[in-house]
Amino acid sequence: MSEPPTKPDAAAPPPPSAPATAKPRDLDAEAAALAAMEAELLGEPAPAPAPSPTPAPPEVPAPTEAPIPSIPRAAAPAHVSASQPRMAPLATAKPIPVVQFDKVTKTYPSGFTAIKDVSFTIEDYPGRGEFVSILGPSGCGKSTVIRMIAGLLPQFPQSSGTVLVDGKIVKGPGPDRGMVFQDYTSFDNRTVIDNVAFGLECRPAGLAKVRERRIVEAVRKNNAITLRTSSPHLFREGESVMIDGVKDKHLNGEAFVVRSIMSPTEFTVEQRGPDSQPSSGGIARGMSYGGGLSASARRELAAYWIKKVGLDVDRDAHKFPSELSGGMRQRVAIARTLILEPRIILMDEPFGALDPPTRARMQDNLVELWREQSPTIFFITHSIEEAVFLGDHILVFSNSPGTVLQNLRVPPPDRPSLEMQRDPKFHEVVLELRATIDKLESSSRAGD
Ligand SMILES: Nc1ncnc2c1ncn2[C@@H]1O[C@H](COP(=O)(O)OP(=O)(O)OP(=O)(O)O)[C@@H](O)[C@H]1O
Ligand SMILES: [Mg+2]
């Protein structure tokens, strides 16, 4: 977890407050008991109990099943079934979802209830994470929900209900979850590049996992085969990498030993066969090391991510956060999280401070990253357009105390953001969703 000033990767011990499994507290009863005790001590009659701060939840309309008009799309990504309905209630839970909320309520010591009986399940589909957009009015508890997943105080722990990540009760922050905060967070005394590289410094040397990287170019030349990957490969010299699916068939199904690392996205292996023209496609599968990288490898990787979020390495890498605009600082915060490739990325209005062209570019980058690395992403936004463009799953929250009003599926993006948002059919979908949300919100208010 990467909330300064604590180390992003340091697995923080569970907070001293009640664990997630604690019995739900009845704050009304506690307050009434306390008032009665004080009154007894003062020799005064006990005051009448205060009205409940958590009124019964309003009647929430059933999820809308009416189909939203479909947008003509290019070929769906491989992991999306062509027959997938445009918008439909979610299927029932499968074993060990990535995240599961079951009747989760958060009531602060003041008696204020931020979210009430929130339940949802985010499945773990083989080879891909879900992109979950979270929509809802200000103050409805969106940040509360993702900070609970992150295990961050004071939203964590919940007052009642269960929060599971990978089937386990959340006990605090962990390196499997990376968060981009609503208010950009960086270390003021570190330069941009040192901020971005920071999480890698904290990684244990042995941390490695099997990763597949898409090959964008493979060339046999000068006694070596040079392979370029679409995102940092993090392979190491001397390790074995399996290559498959490249157009140059001679490479396929073979294990190669990494000979040298040219850049975060380039490496060479020994040449087999004659020289060749550049080929593309396929994947390289090997162990990627998130930790134990040399200082220069960390800085090279940080430079890659600085460029990826649209900052200029030469111009910006050695600036301090105070020398950056709000949007630039937010991009540093995003790079700090993405460089660590967490399995679950929690993003709290990450693009709110960006100008429209940068925002569209960042949306496209995020989609690319999602396709490439398959994390599960929780993405809070106030923009229905952004939620529909990015998400393949949308959670709509009610007014405070937040509850899940709608749990919807939409097809994931298949075109660049600007192109998609010029499509009139896309606007139809957005308008329809806006009308649905307005209806749900007004009926929820009517039930207050
Ligand atoms: N530490 C706290 N103590 C008491 N109340 C809190 C605390 N933190 C948040 N809240 C309250 O919980 C409610 C939900 O807050 P949260 O930050 O989750 O809302 P949000 O949906 O993210 O809103 P926004 O869209 O404005 O960011 C708000 O009414 C907020 O004032
Ligand atoms: Mg918020």
Side-chain angles (χ1 to χ4, degrees), residues 108-110 112-115 136-145 154-155 182 348-349 380 382 400:
Y108 288 100
S110 62
F112 176 75
T113 297
I115 59 169
S138 184
C140 71
K142 303 179 294 298
S143 300
T144 304
V145 165
Q155 289 74 14
Q182 192 165 5
D348 199 344
E349 297 186 44
I380 297 179
H382 282 283
S400 176

